[in-house]
Amino acid sequence: MKIQLSIIIFSFMLVLASSQIVFGSQSCPTGGYIHYGPSRQSIPCYLVTPQYNPTLEEQFGNTTQTKLVHDGAILILNQTTQKLAYKMGENITISTELINTGNKTVDIYYDEPWVALEIKNQTGVVWPQSTIVAFIPEFHGMTTLEPREQFGTQPWGPNIFPKLSIPGNYTVTSVALFTFNTHTESSDSLQPLWSKSLQITILPEKVPEFPFTIPVFLVSITSLIVFYRMRINK
């Protein structure tokens, strides 16, 4: 059921970003969210200015916040991948785990999706095409983390795999968004926790060696024939 809700939420995010829906003519408040509809859903102001596609850093702030301490619990966001080098167009598998490295139990509360990632190169963000994170407070959850316990997920939702088609070096960064309070109706209360960056490489396609073998062989044979003809003619 939780996986199905994640798929629904992610689909809703894509519809919002691609159709560039503007929710009314409200001005953007200081908090960065407009509360829309009877349920007072928190809609990021970025949706009101669809031409602007902010990075995760611009939405959630300082990426050096890689540890959160709360009543003896110490939370970090660990980011892993199956390998560090991928082929062009291959699914890039990134998983994240929220780990309690402290000595106290902690409860966390979150809205879906609670983890997102972005992939950058020297030119900026290359995946996803839209990094806008839109929360639906009606879909939220709670989990309890004992000391040394972990809570894992795939960023952006299940079965969402980045694919890159340009060879080169890339940086992957994830962010988790949750709160230690029981009230998650407002996205302003969510705290960002960043992973350490992960470096991956997209390998260029290998040029087949066999197609070049035949021309080289033919050139060699032709050269030998010409050489012996010249000697015979002499």
Side-chain angles (χ1 to χ4, degrees):
M1 181 64 180
K2 184 177 178 182
I3 293 177
Q4 292 177 343
L5 289 178
S6 298
I7 296 174
I8 294 172
I9 294 166
F10 183 74
S11 300
F12 179 78
M13 291 163 48
L14 291 180
V15 169
L16 290 178
S18 60
S19 59
Q20 298 184 345
I21 296 175
V22 177
F23 291 90
S25 57
Q26 304 177 57
S27 60
C28 186
T30 304
Y33 291 84
I34 291 176
H35 301 290
Y36 176 81
S39 61
R40 309 307 295 161
Q41 295 180 6
S42 298
I43 305 299
C45 291
Y46 308 118
L47 296 179
V48 184
T49 55
Q51 292 79 11
Y52 178 55
N53 184 31
T55 64
L56 293 179
E57 293 93 326
E58 290 172 316
Q59 294 178 73
F60 304 114
N62 188 3
T63 59
T64 62
Q65 181 67 53
T66 58
K67 180 172 68 175
L68 285 177
V69 180
H70 180 77
D71 293 339
I74 303 174
L75 298 178
I76 62 171
L77 185 64
N78 189 37
Q79 187 178 230
T80 59
T81 182
Q82 291 182 343
K83 52 187 178 180
L84 297 178
Y86 289 86
K87 298 177 182 178
M88 297 168 56
E90 184 180 4
N91 286 344
I92 300 172
T93 305
I94 303 293
S95 299
T96 56
E97 296 171 336
L98 184 65
I99 305 174
N100 180 8
T101 62
N103 55 15
K104 297 289 185 180
T105 300
V106 65
D107 294 332
I108 65 166
Y109 304 84
Y110 54 90
D111 292 331
E112 295 283 3
W114 67 279
V115 176
L117 72 75
E118 64 185 8
I119 303 179
K120 289 182 173 183
N121 63 7
Q122 65 274 12
T123 64
V125 177
V126 297
W127 194 95
Q129 292 183 347
S130 175
T131 56
I132 295 174
V133 181
F135 302 100
I136 303 179
E138 279 75 6
F139 297 102
H140 57 266
M142 185 275 285
T143 191
T144 299
L145 289 176
E146 302 284 345
R148 301 298 171 183
E149 191 175 4
Q150 59 192 33
F151 178 42
T153 188
Q154 275 189 276
W156 291 111
N159 302 318
I160 305 298
F161 298 104
K163 294 181 180 180
L164 300 176
S165 58
I166 300 178
N169 298 318
Y170 295 85
T171 301
V172 183
T173 306
S174 298
V175 59
L177 303 157
F178 55 89
T179 180
F180 300 110
N181 301 317
T182 57
H183 302 288
T184 59
E185 288 82 2
S186 174
S187 299
D188 299 337
S189 65
L190 298 176
Q191 298 190 52
L193 176 62
W194 296 87
S195 69
K196 293 184 179 180
S197 296
L198 191 65
Q199 305 297 320
I200 63 172
T201 300
I202 303 300
L203 302 173
E205 291 183 345
K206 290 185 178 180
V207 179
E209 297 180 1
F210 182 73
F212 291 99
T213 304
I214 295 177
V216 171
F217 178 74
L218 292 176
V219 170
S220 300
I221 295 297
T222 303
S223 300
L224 287 174
I225 293 173
V226 172
F227 175 75
Y228 281 110
R229 281 185 177 179
M230 291 176 62
R231 289 182 61 86
I232 291 171
N233 291 335
K234 288 181 179 182

